[in-house]
Amino acid sequence: MLAYWGSQIKDFHGGPSVTDARDTEPDDETELSARPRRSALLWLLVLLLAAETALLGVATAYLLIELVTVRPDSYASATAILVLTLLATVWLGAVVFGVLRGRAWIRGAAIVWQVLQIAVGVGSLQGVFANAAVGLWLIVPAVVVVVLLLVPSVVAQTSIRDEAPPHAY
């Protein structure tokens, strides 16, 4: 089992594992050029997801500052919103790293986030405090990310699946 988990520790570009006994240096330049290059659409996906993560991090910091400096009507609600925002930031950050590592699980996770973002965007288009600019800034990138996640070249570059762990009998 230790060998399995050791093999899961890979370098940032999906290279050989830490426990791999093979030589990690390439023998010649053709070995380096044999790695598939990431497409521009994949980099656009990474950029959009990273921007969403950064903005969510800013929102988390803002909520933390507000919780510390201003007396909320309900500390429980303010803390819950802060924790949920922090968890969403961490989740979306993990999705960005998953995209960079080419993992297949990121499509489901990213689409769930985009659907939630679209729901908040649609909600901001309606009601007494409707703000079309906020709604569009939430909806348009979310739709673009969903489309990018379903483009065949991006799907091909994000199709690495983790091996199943060995059974411990």
Side-chain angles (χ1 to χ4, degrees):
M1 185 148 175
L2 184 59
Y4 166 77
W5 291 111
S7 69
Q8 294 302 307
I9 303 172
K10 298 181 188 268
D11 72 354
F12 189 67
H13 299 290
S17 69
V18 175
T19 59
D20 196 353
R22 293 179 291 168
D23 185 18
T24 57
E25 293 297 318
D27 293 334
D28 56 8
E29 286 188 29
T30 59
E31 197 171 313
L32 279 177
S33 63
R35 289 185 184 173
R37 296 185 55 92
R38 293 181 177 136
S39 70
L41 293 177
L42 184 76
W43 284 115
L44 179 61
L45 176 66
V46 168
L47 177 71
L48 288 172
L49 288 173
E52 289 177 358
T53 304
L55 289 173
L56 203 52
V58 168
T60 303
Y62 175 78
L63 289 174
L64 178 63
I65 291 169
E66 284 290 310
L67 181 65
V68 172
T69 59
V70 178
R71 183 179 183 280
D73 292 337
S74 169
Y75 279 103
S77 296
T79 304
I81 290 171
L82 174 64
V83 168
L84 288 173
T85 308
L86 178 63
L87 287 173
T89 304
V90 170
W91 176 30
L92 203 52
V95 169
V96 171
F97 283 111
V99 171
L100 289 171
R101 293 188 65 208
R103 298 296 184 205
W105 61 265
I106 60 99
R107 282 189 297 280
I111 287 175
V112 166
W113 175 254
Q114 302 312 314
V115 168
L116 292 173
Q117 188 171 317
I118 289 169
V120 171
V122 168
S124 68
L125 294 174
Q126 307 169 14
V128 177
F129 300 107
N131 189 339
V134 171
L136 291 176
W137 277 103
L138 289 170
I139 293 171
V140 171
V143 170
V144 171
V145 167
V146 169
V147 169
L148 286 172
L149 286 167
L150 300 175
V151 170
S153 65
V154 173
V155 171
Q157 293 179 47
T158 56
S159 294
I160 297 173
R161 299 195 184 274
D162 292 329
E163 299 172 16
H167 295 287
Y169 291 111

